[in-house]
């Protein structure tokens, strides 16, 4: 497996797992900075490698009236300040080839959204920035199909590829997580992140917006770590019911640290002790 270097840590190097966390979208500067600072403090206490993620533009919202974020210019300015002030890695979605180079000036990791994971020009443009990529598996793809996706990035000379499992379409407005996908995608040579909060999303389940079942996200997160995931993706918000995007499947910020403690215990149980020579 290719280790992916992100600032001062590696994903896919074994334990501990990497945490990708933050609100779905940048709602305002003050709020997103407070969330990032809290996440930095929690992960520092628990010694968990951390990537802060928030979208500057949610281009795939259900409704034309849905909040999309501040846009690329203001959003990247905010993410740059978070990265510099808190000394954390930052990640956000890119939606078009023209965005990739500009986003790479700020972001430590470029994320390819699930709906766009087969867009060759986007993946190649993102890969050519030489930033690590986090490519989300489309809800419409089998895990082994991501081999072709990863090869597109590698063809551009960039082996720094993370793959993220985020559930597969399972009938109307529902997703299902298949934990076989974790070792299958790892066998493609990429570290695998499990997105526990998007996996409990109910796409379009609220009519003009997506619904979700956030109460099941911790269960899926624990199962993913037990299955050997290299990292977790969790959307986190202080008041999920007031979040402007993906609130129904987001974890409350004040419930995160107890969950991470449980996840670390599971993770530690999987670590084989070193033998004395």
């Amino acid at each position: 497996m290719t280790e992916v270097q992100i600032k001062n840590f590696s994903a896919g190097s074994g334990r501990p797992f990497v945490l990708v966390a933050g609100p779905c979208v940048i709602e305002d500067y003050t709020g997103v900075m407070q969330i990032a600072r809290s996440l930095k403090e929690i992960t520092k206490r628990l010694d968990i490698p951390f990537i802060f993620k928030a979208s500057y533009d949610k281009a795939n919202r259900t409704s034309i009236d849905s909040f999309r974020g501040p846009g690329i210019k203001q959003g990247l300015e905010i993410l740059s300040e978070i990265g510099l002030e808190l000394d954390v890695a930052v990640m956000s979605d890119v939606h078009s080839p023209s965005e990739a180079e500009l986003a790479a000036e700020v972001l430590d990791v470029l994320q390819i959204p699930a709906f766009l994971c087969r867009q060759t020009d986007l993946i190649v443009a993102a890969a050519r920035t030489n930033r690590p990529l986090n490519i989300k598996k489309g809800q419409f793809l089998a895990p082994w199909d991501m081999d072709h996706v990863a090869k597109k990035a590698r063809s551009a000379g960039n082996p720094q590829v993370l793959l993220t499992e985020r559930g597969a379409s399972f009938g109307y407005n529902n997703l299902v997580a298949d934990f076989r996908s974790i070792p299958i995608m790892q066998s493609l040579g990429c570290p695998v992140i499990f997105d526990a909060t998007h996996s409990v999303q109910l796409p379009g389940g609220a009519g003009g917006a997506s619904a979700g079942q956030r109460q099941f996200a911790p269960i899926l997160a624990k199962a993913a770590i037990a299955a050997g995931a290299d990292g977790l993706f969790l959307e986190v918000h202080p008041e999920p019911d007031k979040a402007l995007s993906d609130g129904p499947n987001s974890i409350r910020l004040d419930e995160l640290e107890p969950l991470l403690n449980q996840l670390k215990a599971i993770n530690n149980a999987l670590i084989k002790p070193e033998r004395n020579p």
Side-chain angles (χ1 to χ4, degrees), residues 149-203:
V149 176
K151 285 177 178 176
K152 291 178 181 181
R154 293 169 181 151
S155 74
N158 189 345
Q160 298 277 89
V161 179
L162 301 162
L163 299 179
T164 291
E165 168 62 50
R166 52 94 72 238
S169 295
F170 188 71
Y172 299 136
N173 305 125
N174 210 344
L175 300 170
V176 65
D178 181 358
F179 292 99
R180 294 176 301 175
S181 68
I182 294 172
I184 289 171
M185 290 198 293
Q186 287 172 332
S187 74
L188 307 179
C190 300
V192 173
I193 308 295
F194 181 78
D195 185 342
T197 48
H198 280 102
S199 291
V200 298
Q201 188 182 61
L202 302 175

Side-chain angles (χ1 to χ4, degrees), residues 82-203:
I82 288 171
L84 292 172
E85 182 172 330
L86 302 181
D87 189 27
V88 297
V90 292
M91 181 170 81
S92 194
D93 301 301
V94 293
H95 304 92
S96 66
S98 61
E99 286 183 31
E101 188 171 349
L102 183 61
E105 294 177 5
V106 170
L107 303 179
D108 297 284
V109 185
L110 304 185
Q111 179 162 284
I112 307 297
F115 285 126
L116 300 179
C117 72
R118 291 190 61 175
Q119 298 300 306
T120 302
D121 290 346
L122 172 59
I123 293 170
V124 169
R128 284 177 176 163
T129 68
N130 290 320
R131 289 293 194 187
L133 306 185
N134 182 40
I135 307 177
K136 288 197 162 187
K137 179 179 74 65
Q139 302 91 319
F140 43 86
L141 292 180
W144 44 84
D145 292 330
M146 293 302 287
D147 187 33
H148 304 292
V149 176
K151 285 177 178 176
K152 291 178 181 181
R154 293 169 181 151
S155 74
N158 189 345
Q160 298 277 89
V161 179
L162 301 162
L163 299 179
T164 291
E165 168 62 50
R166 52 94 72 238
S169 295
F170 188 71
Y172 299 136
N173 305 125
N174 210 344
L175 300 170
V176 65
D178 181 358
F179 292 99
R180 294 176 301 175
S181 68
I182 294 172
I184 289 171
M185 290 198 293
Q186 287 172 332
S187 74
L188 307 179
C190 300
V192 173
I193 308 295
F194 181 78
D195 185 342
T197 48
H198 280 102
S199 291
V200 298
Q201 188 182 61
L202 302 175

Side-chain angles (χ1 to χ4, degrees), residues 232-254:
L232 284 175
F233 184 113
L234 300 174
E235 289 189 312
V236 180
H237 195 280
E239 298 181 273
D241 291 336
K242 296 181 180 180
L244 298 182
S245 179
D246 278 2
N249 49 269
S250 295
I251 290 175
R252 284 184 59 90
L253 180 59
D254 59 8

Side-chain angles (χ1 to χ4, degrees), residues 36-89:
R37 182 171 284 107
S38 295
L39 292 172
K40 169 65 183 292
E41 292 170 355
I42 291 169
T43 53
K44 185 176 181 180
R45 279 196 297 271
L46 299 182
D47 193 26
I48 295 175
F50 170 54
I51 303 170
F52 179 78
K53 186 271 169 185
S55 294
Y56 55 74
D57 180 21
K58 297 299 293 184
N60 62 344
R61 296 303 305 274
T62 301
S63 169
I64 189 67
D65 298 318
S66 298
F67 178 75
R68 289 183 52 166
I72 187 169
K73 184 177 185 298
Q74 183 181 354
L76 287 177
E77 289 174 356
I78 292 171
L79 290 168
S80 176
E81 191 162 340
I82 288 171
L84 292 172
E85 182 172 330
L86 302 181
D87 189 27
V88 297

Side-chain angles (χ1 to χ4, degrees), residues 5-18:
Q5 186 67 36
I6 303 164
K7 285 184 81 75
N8 60 347
F9 62 86
S10 295
S13 60
R15 307 302 169 192
F17 63 88
V18 173

